[in-house]
Amino acid sequence: MRGIPASQRRSRRSKGLRRLGRSRRRVVAVTAAAAVAVAGMAWMTFAPASAAPEDAVAAPAAAAAAVGATTPFTSYEGEAGTLGGGATTVSVTAAPTTQYSSAALEASGHGYAHLAATNQSVQWTNNTGQPVSYVNVRASIPDSASGGGITATLDLYVNGTFRQALNLNSKQTWIYEGASYNSSDNQNPADGGPRVFWDESRTFVTGTAIAAGSTIQLKKDSANTASFYDIDVIDVENPPAPIAQPANSISITSCGAVADPNPTNGAANSGSVDSRAAIQTCIDQAQSQSKILWIPQGTFYVKGTGGLTAKGITIAGAGMWYSNVYRDVPLPNSVALGALFDVTSCTVQNFHIDANAPSRNPVGGDGGAMDTTGTNWVASGLWTQHTMSGFWASGTGGTIQNNRLTDIWADGINVNNVALNASTGNNLTATNNFVRGSGDDSLAINSAAYNTNSDGTKTYYSPMTNVTFTHNTAIAPWGGKGLAIYGGSGHVVSDNYVSDTSRFIGLGAGRFGVNGSDLLSATVSNNVILRSGGNAYNQGQPAVHIGNGSDGQGVGIVDKVTVTGNTIANSLYDAVGFSTSTNTLLQSNTITSPGRNGVVVAPPNYPAPSGSATITGNTLTGLKSGMTAFANNSSGFTASVTNNSWQGATPQGPYGGTAAAVPGTVQAENFDTGGQGVAYNVTSVNGNGTAYRSDGVDIETTTDTGGGYNVGWTGSGQWFRYTVNVATAGTYTLSLRVAAPSAVTGALHLSNAAGTNLSGAVNIPATGGWQTYTTVTAGITLSAGTQVLTLNQDNGGWNINSLSFA
């Protein structure tokens, strides 16, 4: 974080770039339109996926052109339920004025239902269209007077009839930071400044499944002894039957692993059997015999500070609802922990991982769930809770897919180039994952340049390349960003859903500190970012940030980040902020109801002494009185700001107001008015702009006969439109005045308003220079009357001065 003293920066800033090993130290699908429609509301309902596989996971409601993960459960927000008995709701109604947290700020939807007296309740109707046999409740109950948490029950009713008591606890919540801001392990209530309010309790519904159309009610009865029950969200689903043990597999029970039947509810069962050695024995057998390691139904304990190591095998369970591996570390802990699973070139799938950690720091016994590296590895169908990180992953060609991560103490999914002593992180993919309630970044691409070793030497790493994050959901991270890109190149981040950050940026693209890799290119498109940003360190952070300096170190290169087609709604502060970065394209994004300003270069705490960006074709609505749609607070940052909604929309029409006559000549620089995405489409803004026309792009002075201007900087996918009036229908000869230093095959084609290719592919010969012109021709057929023709640039490397029709 920019402006934070080194002693106060989040501890993950140093952990993220260390060489990691066994002893390392760590620190849903909705359409964009639907997201905008509900952006002013404090809730979002997630819908089930039909015929979901056993390892599919949660996401917002699926629809055409959906963003976020697609999963088989439906989430009902507490604040959207029907209240009974005097229950109330609590929601964030304004941007925070303090750097400290609150239950509402950390809640999904930034709101919840509050049950504080006997007979108070919240209720929903099962409108999933299918039975419900499994519920997962995200709730908060009070801490004990001295810290360390309590246990209590809350009653579940179906159609008004008591069904069962749900076990809840606060043993893995309630951290206090009043004495040390951003503390991760202080459980002393006397210090004040509470954070980490929410935990999730999952269970099968007893008796018959809850039929479609039935009511589901959570009610505080006299037997429910907690003084209050805050209900954030309930996930409901109907899991498939357990997966059968596959052929050619070894069950961990055959090596002596013993399942424990008692529920954990925030703490380990002291009478359980330690199965760590047995599981490792079976892993070794599976490796030597080329077999699958099978984890059957039940909860299997791994006790102590050691973990499990595997290479080149498949580790599989009966499903995330049935098979559970639980890490039980003696507390307080004094040993630096690795992950529960250290796996290389493995496929790991279909079980649940949990731990007894009551805080993020090593004293709480908090280690990661799964560290992975190697080649073509897969992590799928895992549900992870209460571990330091969910996935810490490096290597080449790995995939993290179809997973749930809830109540994670630090990063949910962190792909990097250092995990398990690797030095590369290339062609890695995270897709269709659901992350809720992480204590650091929900999703992160984390490229290290080097680490300094204990002897002062440095270990260097290859910058990460070609990482893909698509269709993931990140909700309510309480200690980090929703989605972060830290260094590397060629990354694609698209169709993700990010909402309800409590302290930090929703989506950021930059570099990770002094020893992070430069970010040299990334495409960020079609993501939805709702109710994001935060006030950590009293910084008023934006929902979306591009540039260096978001980690407290304003260093390094952030270049060629393309941010297009995203929806940014109800940001707590500024919607988009720029710090030092170059060649950013912010184009065709939709910004709705920002809490403060729209787009700001160098907002408070994010300096941009230099840089450049093209900001074009963006739409902003719902700007508050006294706020600014766009502000550039830096004299050294060059921003080309054109054709955005706040600049006054210009309708498409012929340049000069009159359609060009055909037969006749159309000057290339006289493309229609209307701006980016309407009259033209360019990937960057070049040329002299205002020298000829105020919305001029890619224009320069020409030395061709007759002088004037030409259009240059051609490139694949760009196009320019021209409104013409054709006197007589018929076949015309199209003559193009073009220049090209080298020959260009399939340089362009002319199309009509329906997209029909009129000219076919037009080749341009080498003319010897950018201002050495020749004429190329094509035959086209035109109808009579006023019409719009589009000059499509299919391959770049040429200039055009005019188009003549004869």
Side-chain angles (χ1 to χ4, degrees):
M1 296 290 122
R2 180 70 183 182
I4 305 169
S7 61
Q8 294 180 329
R9 293 183 192 124
R10 291 185 291 155
S11 58
R12 76 181 181 92
R13 290 310 181 203
S14 58
K15 69 97 181 171
L17 299 177
R18 289 184 179 140
R19 173 175 284 275
L20 301 178
R22 298 286 303 170
S23 62
R24 71 156 186 284
R25 297 172 296 281
R26 295 180 184 271
V27 242
V28 243
V30 295
T31 63
V36 173
V38 301
M41 309 172 74
W43 60 277
M44 180 76 72
T45 298
F46 303 137
S50 59
E54 68 273 6
D55 60 352
V57 293
V67 297
T70 300
T71 65
F73 67 80
T74 296
S75 292
Y76 296 120
E77 294 288 336
E79 65 274 23
T82 300
L83 304 178
T88 58
T89 60
V90 180
S91 295
V92 173
T93 57
T97 57
T98 173
Q99 65 180 340
Y100 290 96
S101 195
S102 69
L105 200 59
E106 293 184 10
S108 169
H110 282 167
Y112 59 89
H114 180 64
L115 316 182
T118 301
N119 295 323
Q120 291 188 352
S121 65
V122 59
Q123 176 178 295
W124 311 267
T125 299
N126 174 13
N127 60 9
T128 66
Q130 62 182 354
V132 168
S133 60
Y134 199 89
V135 296
N136 178 56
V137 178
R138 190 173 197 244
S140 176
I141 63 174
D143 197 2
S144 64
S146 59
I150 65 172
T151 60
T153 58
L154 180 63
D155 289 343
L156 171 68
Y157 285 74
V158 177
N159 292 328
T161 300
F162 173 78
R163 178 62 69 91
Q164 70 195 87
L166 304 178
N167 291 318
L168 305 180
N169 75 87
S170 57
K171 292 180 175 293
Q172 295 176 289
T173 53
W174 296 97
I175 302 297
Y176 301 91
E177 55 181 341
S180 177
Y181 184 66
N182 221 14
S183 169
S184 298
D185 62 352
N186 181 10
Q187 295 178 291
N188 182 12
D191 288 333
R195 67 191 299 211
V196 194
F197 297 93
W198 303 100
D199 201 359
E200 305 192 15
S201 177
R202 57 188 219 132
T203 187
F204 278 96
V205 175
T206 59
T208 58
I210 302 170
S214 299
T215 59
I216 303 168
Q217 183 185 65
L218 298 178
K219 183 180 178 183
K220 177 174 164 46
D221 286 327
S222 58
N224 307 139
T225 57
S227 60
F228 67 82
Y229 294 82
D230 291 338
I231 308 302
D232 181 26
V233 63
I234 181 172
D235 303 329
V236 300
E237 59 187 308
N238 189 35
I243 302 169
Q245 181 175 348
N248 193 40
S249 64
I250 300 174
S251 172
I252 61 174
T253 57
S254 70
C255 298
V258 177
D260 186 85
N262 300 300
T264 54
N265 199 27
N269 175 24
S270 60
S272 61
V273 174
D274 179 13
S275 295
R276 193 201 70 81
I279 297 173
Q280 187 62 57
T281 295
C282 264
I283 289 174
D284 296 341
Q285 291 180 10
Q287 289 175 173
S288 64
Q289 300 173 30
S290 299
K291 291 186 176 181
I292 297 169
L293 180 77
W294 173 246
I295 303 174
Q297 295 185 63
T299 298
F300 297 89
Y301 276 79
V302 173
K303 296 189 174 186
T305 56
L308 302 165
T309 303
K311 184 174 182 179
I313 63 171
T314 293
I315 302 173
M320 62 174 68
W321 309 270
Y322 305 103
S323 301
N324 183 30
V325 180
Y326 190 96
R327 189 175 206 178
D328 177 11
V329 177
L331 302 176
N333 173 62
S334 60
V335 178
L337 297 177
L340 174 59
F341 286 91
D342 279 0
V343 293
T344 301
S345 302
C346 287
T347 294
V348 184
Q349 60 190 14
N350 300 327
F351 59 93
H352 181 258
I353 298 174
D354 206 344
N356 68 326
S359 72
R360 169 174 168 161
N361 285 8
V363 68
D366 196 14
M370 177 178 151
D371 286 5
T372 183
T373 191
T375 58
N376 301 323
W377 49 262
V378 176
S380 180
L382 302 175
W383 188 344
T384 302
Q385 295 183 273
H386 306 120
T387 60
M388 170 65 82
S389 57
F391 298 99
W392 193 265
S394 63
T396 302
T399 300
I400 302 170
Q401 63 187 10
N402 306 333
N403 301 286
R404 300 186 199 186
L405 301 100
T406 57
D407 316 312
I408 302 297
W409 283 107
D411 294 336
I413 297 173
N414 187 307
V415 298
N416 54 68
N417 54 351
V418 299
L420 294 182
N421 297 312
S423 61
T424 58
N426 304 322
N427 301 311
L428 304 176
T429 298
T431 186
N432 206 57
N433 301 288
F434 178 91
V435 186
R436 183 170 58 204
S438 63
D440 214 318
D441 298 336
S442 298
L443 302 155
I445 301 168
N446 188 6
S447 181
Y450 68 88
N451 281 323
T452 302
N453 303 312
S454 58
D455 61 0
T457 61
K458 288 182 171 63
T459 299
Y460 290 88
Y461 309 96
S462 300
M464 296 177 69
T465 60
N466 302 325
V467 175
T468 300
F469 277 15
T470 59
H471 292 286
N472 300 290
T473 293
I475 298 177
W478 51 262
K481 297 181 180 70
L483 196 158
I485 307 168
Y486 301 119
S489 63
H491 307 320
V492 174
V493 174
S494 68
D495 301 287
N496 300 287
Y497 176 93
V498 176
S499 73
D500 307 307
T501 58
S502 66
R503 294 200 174 194
F504 296 100
I505 293 158
L507 189 154
R511 172 178 143 157
F512 194 106
V514 293
N515 58 330
S517 302
D518 291 331
L519 177 59
L520 299 182
S521 64
T523 299
V524 180
S525 63
N526 303 320
N527 303 284
V528 171
I529 303 99
L530 298 183
R531 298 178 296 267
S532 293
N535 202 35
Y537 300 94
N538 294 312
Q539 290 184 333
Q541 298 174 22
V544 174
H545 170 255
I546 302 107
N548 65 26
S550 70
D551 59 349
Q553 304 288 340
V555 297
I557 296 171
V558 177
D559 187 43
K560 295 184 178 65
V561 177
T562 296
V563 183
T564 61
N566 301 283
T567 297
I568 308 159
N570 290 89
S571 58
L572 293 180
Y573 301 97
D574 299 331
V576 180
F578 285 89
S579 58
T580 300
S581 51
T582 52
N583 299 309
T584 303
L585 175 64
L586 185 74
Q587 176 179 306
S588 302
N589 299 283
T590 300
I591 300 171
T592 304
S593 301
R596 196 164 63 188
N597 302 303
V599 180
V600 183
V601 176
N605 303 296
Y606 291 89
S610 63
S612 62
T614 297
I615 301 169
T616 184
N618 300 287
T619 300
L620 169 62
T621 58
L623 189 68
K624 295 180 179 179
S625 176
M627 298 295 107
T628 300
F630 171 78
N632 187 347
N633 299 321
S634 169
S635 60
F637 191 106
T638 302
S640 173
V641 185
T642 61
N643 303 307
N644 300 287
S645 65
W646 60 84
Q647 296 175 287
T650 302
Q652 181 183 353
Y655 182 74
T658 303
V662 171
T665 297
V666 179
Q667 295 297 326
E669 65 270 24
N670 289 348
F671 50 85
D672 283 1
T673 59
Q676 170 68 27
V678 176
Y680 58 82
N681 177 63
V682 295
T683 57
S684 61
V685 175
N686 303 288
N688 53 31
T690 58
Y692 179 68
R693 51 185 293 179
S694 61
D695 62 345
V697 297
D698 294 0
I699 293 176
E700 64 182 343
T701 301
T702 184
T703 60
D704 193 18
T705 302
Y709 301 89
N710 65 264
V711 169
W713 292 275
T714 51
S716 176
Q718 297 189 148
W719 47 261
F720 288 80
R721 288 176 175 157
Y722 301 85
T723 299
V724 299
N725 187 1
V726 179
T728 305
T731 299
Y732 288 78
T733 297
L734 170 66
S735 298
L736 305 169
R737 288 291 293 173
V738 292
S742 301
V744 183
T745 301
L748 62 94
H749 73 277
L750 196 71
S751 62
N752 61 17
T756 302
N757 188 333
L758 302 176
S759 64
V762 176
N763 303 322
I764 296 178
T767 65
W770 291 108
Q771 291 298 324
T772 304
Y773 283 84
T774 190
T775 300
V776 297
T777 61
I780 61 173
T781 299
L782 299 175
S783 58
T786 301
Q787 55 202 276
V788 175
L789 302 178
T790 301
L791 181 69
N792 301 273
Q793 300 176 6
D794 300 316
N795 288 294
W798 48 276
N799 291 343
I800 181 167
N801 184 24
S802 63
L803 306 83
S804 295
F805 301 84

